[in-house]
Amino acid sequence: IDQGTTSSRAILFDSDFRISGIAQKQFQQYFPKDGWVEHDPEEIWTSTLDSCAEVLMKKSISPEDIAAIGITNQRETTILWDKETGRSIYNAVVWQDRRTASLCERLKSKGLESLINKKTGLILDPYFSATKIKWILDNVKGARSKAEKGNLLFGTVDSFLLWRLTGGASHKTDVTNASRTMLFNIHSQTWDPELLSLFDIPSSILP
């Protein structure tokens, strides 16, 4: 599964890793304000599912014939969803989105960029997930309360798709995606409590 910024694509490989089939579905881009970029998580999901179904149908392959699924995705795009219903509480805030630029500038003015860089290897920028998570928690009614009660989950697109594909059984990511959140300590290979506190993000929402 190649879940990209403008489309979702499914590529079928045979047992010798040769491409056997490809299907692709585009989905809509939303620009509610200058500098804001959003996707509908349900469109991400349905375009992904439809692409997978189409490539299987083209090759007359059943889901039971699939040995494994790999996911590549738009890494920093941020989704928060309800743990019980599986529905997102807000649109996906896309990696290109700049709505948290002023927050990043405030943190820089407090001299916090060096701390973040040392722990994560990243610059302090709206590009990454941490400030997007904070924005959703602070601006969507009831979001922070739900998160503090353990009723919300966060993921970049890989985590969201994996959670959906497993019927909610697997809320996970890998270190390469985690390292793009600005919350992951690349030295200890763990979510960093100091960074979670800095961005006021409950650890219970993390994969």
Side-chain angles (χ1 to χ4, degrees):
I1 294 170
D2 175 9
Q3 203 301 296
T5 307
T6 60
S7 68
S8 300
R9 181 167 53 170
I11 308 172
L12 185 66
F13 297 90
D14 65 19
S15 57
D16 294 316
F17 299 100
R18 294 173 300 203
I19 293 176
S20 180
I22 298 175
Q24 190 169 6
K25 303 287 183 183
Q26 291 189 324
F27 56 88
Q28 191 167 345
Q29 311 293 303
Y30 299 92
F31 307 98
K33 294 184 181 180
D34 287 346
W36 292 29
V37 188
E38 298 179 359
H39 294 155
D40 181 344
E42 293 305 316
E43 293 178 9
I44 290 175
W45 168 243
T46 56
S47 63
T48 298
L49 206 58
D50 290 349
S51 296
C52 291
E54 182 179 323
V55 78
L56 292 177
M57 185 176 66
K58 280 180 178 178
K59 305 302 293 185
S60 299
I61 298 292
S62 71
E64 290 76 20
D65 295 322
I66 302 300
I69 299 175
I71 301 173
T72 184
N73 70 119
Q74 39 174 326
R75 289 177 184 268
E76 299 81 8
T77 295
T78 297
I79 305 173
L80 268 69
W81 66 94
D82 187 292
K83 191 176 183 178
E84 298 302 320
T85 68
R87 304 287 297 189
S88 61
I89 62 165
Y90 188 79
N91 274 349
V93 181
V94 179
W95 58 271
Q96 301 151 305
D97 191 282
R98 304 299 295 176
R99 76 186 66 188
T100 61
S102 60
L103 170 60
C104 290
E105 290 305 316
R106 289 199 301 273
L107 294 173
K108 285 179 184 178
S109 71
K110 294 178 180 179
L112 292 167
E113 185 166 30
S114 60
L115 169 71
I116 291 168
N117 179 255
K118 183 179 179 181
K119 287 175 177 281
T120 68
L122 305 174
I123 61 172
L124 177 49
D125 193 87
Y127 186 89
F128 306 108
S129 305
T131 59
K132 301 182 194 319
I133 300 170
K134 179 173 171 54
W135 187 93
I136 294 172
L137 291 175
D138 289 345
N139 289 276
V140 175
K141 186 176 180 180
R144 186 164 292 283
S145 174
K146 275 189 173 184
E148 290 170 353
K149 291 175 182 175
N151 295 328
L152 280 190
L153 298 176
F154 150 73
T156 45
V157 173
D158 65 310
S159 296
F160 177 69
L161 291 179
L162 181 61
W163 193 89
R164 284 283 181 97
L165 288 166
T166 60
S170 185
H171 180 220
K172 296 182 179 180
T173 189
D174 74 337
V175 295
T176 67
N177 284 284
S179 70
R180 305 298 288 175
T181 62
M182 214 158 56
L183 299 170
F184 190 76
N185 190 313
I186 59 174
H187 308 289
S188 64
Q189 299 282 288
T190 57
W191 300 112
D192 192 280
E194 188 175 12
L195 296 177
L196 290 170
S197 177
L198 175 64
F199 292 105
D200 199 15
I201 295 171
S203 62
S204 61
I205 74 172
L206 299 172

